[in-house]
Amino acid sequence: LAGAQLSSDIPGLVGDARDPGVLGLAGLGSKHCAGVLALTDKDPVNLSIVMAVTLLRHDVPVIARANARGTAKAMREFGASAVVNPFERYGNYLVMRVRRPSTYRLLTWLLAAPGTLVSPDAEEHEDGLWVIASDDHFGPEIAADLEDAGLDSTLVDVDAAPDVEGAVGFIAGGSDDAQNLALAGHARLVDPDLFLAVRQRSKRNDALLRAFAPDSVFVPAQLTVQEALARVVTPDFWEFVAHVWEMPDDEAEVVLDRLLGVLGRGSPDSHRIVVGEHDTPAVVRRLRGGSVRLGDLFRHPADRDDVVAAVPVLVLRGDEHIYLPGDDEEMRSGDVLISVGTPRGLTEMADALHYDHVLEHLVSGEDVPATWLGRVVRGWFRRS
């Protein structure tokens, strides 16, 4: 916090986060405390934070990182709102990258920082032996994920040159970035067509990894923060992410092509709207005597035959979840609408949500006066 080039001053407190008193000084007891993120790289510290928050502020959600499955289980049992195991999660991503490349492209694009370009096309990888070099519990975690997916793997020590003859993939998963890069370089010399995955601990080595260009890079902190932010900033958006996670590859390819066609190749923002007086007053007024189709809200105010750069991905209606709803879906008061789009596209939707004359034009195609007096005069002339 002291050395980072941030856009604003972020308050910080140096202390032992396992001490409930330190958490109290940080603001755990404040009525303004909206949640706690326990994202250190030490499992005992994160577990202590989860326990303290659950016992002292059970009304406050806590999202935690766990590097071991046993710790993750203990956190969930103690009441953590969500647990991110970056090692296990990366294994899931790796299997998806190999088995469902289109689903992988869609998922990672949705979770990337806004504006990040979608990854290049990739084909499903052939089955075969995976060699994993590791010196900590990362290796067994990845091996377990590969085994769960029906893929063969073998663990080797990071201090020896890996034997990758006959293998289809190699994972350089040690705790030292330079050693991982050296191992991956050796594997590429032995077999240039080998699928290479490299574990990276420090952001300082970004330039080296970009130059080396492995097939996959695992950055535990980055993966943890991506998921934590997705859960915190737009919690309902995570419902759609979880849906994408289970998508068959051919379905994900269709969805990705649709989103790219409307939004462009940069990763979109996510946006949440509740159909009610606060977020959508014009929609609420029209619903009292008429209907509003979902597709009408995404028409462009300047040309209703065009669309804004935004796409609805989920409607929450009570206990009902409508994923990728169609244009003909009729909106109801209380609906929660989750969309993805460019900042400009999401902004262009706002007029239809707040101004009756804009919404009427998009729904019916009629141009009506913007003011109340103008509408009264228009109605008088129509009656006469």
Side-chain angles (χ1 to χ4, degrees):
L1 291 179
Q5 296 180 352
L6 304 174
S7 59
S8 59
D9 290 332
I10 307 298
L13 175 67
V14 178
D16 186 348
R18 293 171 295 185
D19 183 349
V22 171
L23 295 177
L25 289 173
L28 180 61
S30 169
K31 64 179 181 180
H32 301 295
C33 180
V36 176
L37 301 178
L39 304 181
T40 79
D41 60 355
K42 297 179 177 60
D43 278 13
V45 174
N46 293 338
L47 179 57
S48 296
I49 296 172
V50 169
M51 295 167 67
V53 174
T54 303
L55 292 174
L56 300 177
R57 286 294 305 273
H58 62 273
D59 58 315
V60 171
V62 54
I63 297 174
R65 168 179 171 173
N67 295 325
R69 297 190 184 194
T71 306
K73 183 174 181 291
M75 288 175 173
R76 293 189 183 96
E77 291 176 346
F78 220 88
S81 306
V83 179
V84 183
N85 181 337
F87 293 166
E88 180 182 6
R89 186 64 89 196
Y90 178 69
N92 300 149
Y93 276 119
L94 184 61
V95 170
M96 185 186 297
R97 167 68 177 79
V98 172
R99 288 282 176 83
R100 293 182 290 152
S102 294
T103 306
Y104 173 83
R105 292 179 70 214
L106 174 59
L107 185 67
T108 53
W109 183 65
L110 289 171
L111 290 177
T116 303
L117 296 181
V118 65
S119 60
D121 288 332
E123 296 181 356
E124 184 175 347
H125 201 266
E126 62 180 312
D127 288 349
L129 178 66
W130 287 76
V131 178
I132 308 168
S134 178
D135 55 1
D136 57 15
H137 62 283
F138 171 78
E141 286 279 0
I142 297 301
D145 289 321
L146 294 176
E147 181 180 350
D148 290 344
L151 299 173
D152 295 328
S153 66
T154 182
L155 280 169
V156 300
D157 191 84
V158 295
D159 293 325
D163 180 10
V164 295
E165 292 288 347
V168 297
F170 173 68
I171 303 171
S175 56
D176 182 83
D177 285 2
Q179 189 176 39
N180 287 338
L181 195 56
L183 290 170
H186 170 79
R188 179 172 283 174
L189 287 175
V190 174
D191 184 357
D193 296 326
L194 200 65
F195 186 101
L196 291 178
V198 179
R199 176 184 176 187
Q200 178 188 352
R201 300 193 67 181
S202 173
K203 292 289 288 181
R204 293 175 299 180
N205 297 310
D206 276 351
L208 299 180
L209 267 297
R210 282 197 299 268
F212 184 73
D215 297 286
S216 177
V217 177
F218 168 52
V219 186
Q222 178 181 328
L223 191 153
T224 303
V225 168
Q226 278 184 348
E227 179 165 335
L229 281 179
R231 291 178 178 272
V232 169
V233 176
T234 316
D236 293 325
F237 176 62
W238 189 256
E239 294 285 341
F240 178 65
V241 171
H243 177 71
V244 169
W245 194 280
E246 303 298 331
M247 272 187 183
D249 207 49
D250 53 351
E251 181 180 340
E253 184 174 4
V254 172
V255 173
L256 180 59
D257 287 344
R258 178 192 172 194
L259 294 180
L260 291 176
V262 176
L263 310 179
R265 301 185 66 80
S267 179
D269 287 337
S270 59
H271 189 54
R272 179 180 188 269
I273 295 171
V274 179
V275 179
E277 293 289 353
H278 184 270
D279 291 351
T280 65
V283 176
V284 170
R285 286 190 289 268
R286 198 176 198 286
L287 287 178
R288 291 170 185 157
S291 63
V292 178
R293 298 186 312 151
L294 179 61
D296 293 330
L297 300 180
F298 291 82
R299 294 178 183 272
H300 200 289
D303 181 359
R304 68 183 302 273
D305 293 327
D306 197 4
V307 294
V308 298
V311 175
V313 296
L314 174 62
V315 171
L316 300 173
R317 182 175 293 153
D319 295 331
E320 186 180 5
H321 291 54
I322 306 173
Y323 296 102
L324 298 165
D327 288 343
D328 291 332
E329 185 70 37
E330 293 197 358
M331 304 306 296
R332 303 179 190 174
S333 291
D335 283 353
V336 178
L337 173 62
I338 308 299
S339 308
V340 295
T342 66
R344 181 174 180 176
L346 295 171
T347 300
E348 289 171 338
M349 287 181 60
D351 284 354
L353 304 178
H354 289 84
Y355 299 113
D356 298 57
H357 69 287
V358 177
L359 180 61
E360 183 62 37
H361 172 70
L362 297 183
V363 171
S364 67
E366 291 190 35
D367 292 322
V368 299
T371 65
W372 173 83
L373 180 59
R375 290 193 291 273
V376 170
V377 172
R378 178 175 180 265
W380 183 79
F381 275 109
R382 279 191 165 186
R383 288 192 297 271
S384 62

